[in-house]
Amino acid sequence: MDRSPGLIRMPATADSFDHDEPAGKAGLVSPVVRAFRLLRYVVEGGSTSNLSEVGRTIDVNRVTVMRLIATLEHEGVLEALPQGGHRIGLGFLKLASAATAADDMLDLGRRVLADVRAALNMSAYLAALDGSHVVYLLRDMPEAGLISSVKVGTRLAAPLTTPGRVLLAWQPAGALETVLAQLHREAGLPDPARLRAQLAQDREQGCAWSFSGFEAGIDSCAAPVFDALGAAVAAISVAGPEAAYQTQPGLRARAEQAVKNGARDLSLLLGSRHYPPAA
């Protein structure tokens, strides 16, 4: 039984769910405290099939347990099981995932980028969209280094870079049109139809390539990273000297595969069940 220190127990009445009462510390709201007791009970494997047993375990009355469950079901925090009982609901998991995804992505991204860099001995990057621009969040450099103006914190118009293009390619149609309109206002997008065709090709290929496109003499490839909800939240890219691709047979294919593998691995670590997700 969870008997947290300092919590004052209320009489077990149906009305107690609707009223706040002193709970040992000023400002604590008893229905919220009880809801978290119930959630801990479910997470730890407790069954909600027997409401009386649940009430005894978390120290609230049966009617309050019933109303707590109904409320948490309504909010998507609990989900009823066909065989009886409950599990943590998808709504709660989405909220938790959204709250932790940014930190998780950076921590996990460092490890994935290290693998991509080691596989190719090229600079590897993690980038994300910020409106109509792409921001480089992480960089992992080979020992030899690479002369490049792209550093952590660099912010560029999305269509100019492979991470930006591949992220635009996987945006929902409405969001993409909003970004294109913003780009047109900011910089005068020269040929929207040509960009849309390029994005469609990038999406079909599963990655975006640039050959001396942003920086002369440097080729780049990027692939999208998806979260648990199937949204393209970031991109992994590599950049290497054009001469290396020309003199090392098969390097371009290996680079593309390494980038896709890294993006897939990070997506799976972020909770994506399929790579890429179904349209």
Side-chain angles (χ1 to χ4, degrees):
M1 183 182 300
D2 178 9
R3 294 186 179 276
S4 303
L7 294 181
I8 297 176
R9 312 299 174 189
M10 281 291 290
T13 67
D15 291 336
S16 65
F17 180 81
D18 296 320
H19 296 84
D20 301 343
E21 80 276 356
K25 292 184 179 180
L28 294 188
V29 181
S30 292
V32 177
V33 173
R34 292 168 180 159
F36 274 99
R37 286 189 209 153
L38 177 58
L39 289 176
R40 284 195 293 270
Y41 173 81
V42 172
V43 168
E44 292 168 2
S47 172
T48 57
S49 298
N50 187 324
L51 298 184
S52 297
E53 177 61 27
V54 176
R56 284 192 293 271
T57 302
I58 68 173
D59 200 21
V60 298
N61 67 74
R62 184 180 183 280
V63 174
T64 298
V65 171
M66 182 171 60
R67 298 174 73 183
L68 281 170
I69 289 175
T71 302
L72 294 175
E73 277 189 10
H74 179 268
E75 294 300 319
V77 177
L78 286 181
E79 179 180 303
L81 296 171
Q83 67 271 26
H86 291 79
R87 64 182 177 185
I88 297 300
L90 185 59
F92 183 84
L93 295 177
K94 288 180 180 179
L95 184 64
S97 175
T100 61
D103 288 340
D104 287 348
M105 185 170 69
L106 293 180
D107 291 341
L108 297 169
R110 289 186 180 92
R111 301 178 65 175
V112 173
L113 286 189
D115 287 345
V116 175
R117 182 263 304 155
L120 300 169
N121 196 34
M122 292 182 182
S123 298
Y125 300 88
L126 181 72
L129 278 182
D130 179 17
S132 60
H133 289 66
V134 67
V135 178
Y136 286 79
L137 306 176
L138 295 173
R139 180 175 71 171
D140 195 310
M141 302 282 287
E143 289 185 9
L146 173 66
I147 298 175
S148 172
S149 63
V150 177
K151 301 176 176 62
V152 172
T154 297
R155 187 173 184 270
L156 299 166
L160 297 180
T161 70
T162 54
R165 273 174 37 208
V166 82
L167 284 169
L168 291 179
W170 285 91
Q171 293 304 299
L176 175 60
E177 292 307 313
T178 298
V179 170
L180 295 183
Q182 184 176 349
L183 283 166
H184 183 73
R185 289 194 302 270
E186 293 173 350
L189 193 62
D191 191 345
R194 182 178 178 183
L195 177 57
R196 288 188 183 91
Q198 178 66 68
L199 297 180
Q201 179 181 330
D202 293 340
R203 179 159 178 155
E204 182 178 357
Q205 189 173 349
C207 66
W209 272 100
S210 172
F211 308 108
S212 292
F214 178 68
E215 294 177 295
I218 296 177
D219 292 353
S220 174
C221 179
V225 173
F226 302 94
D227 66 9
L229 305 181
V233 293
I236 286 180
S237 68
V238 293
E242 182 181 34
Y245 288 106
Q246 293 174 345
T247 58
Q248 298 181 41
L251 179 58
R252 197 172 306 282
R254 289 197 295 112
E256 181 171 319
Q257 193 59 54
V259 169
K260 288 181 177 178
N261 288 346
R264 179 204 61 207
D265 290 347
L266 184 52
S267 298
L268 295 177
L269 289 169
L270 293 178
S272 179
R273 302 188 63 178
H274 303 284
Y275 187 89

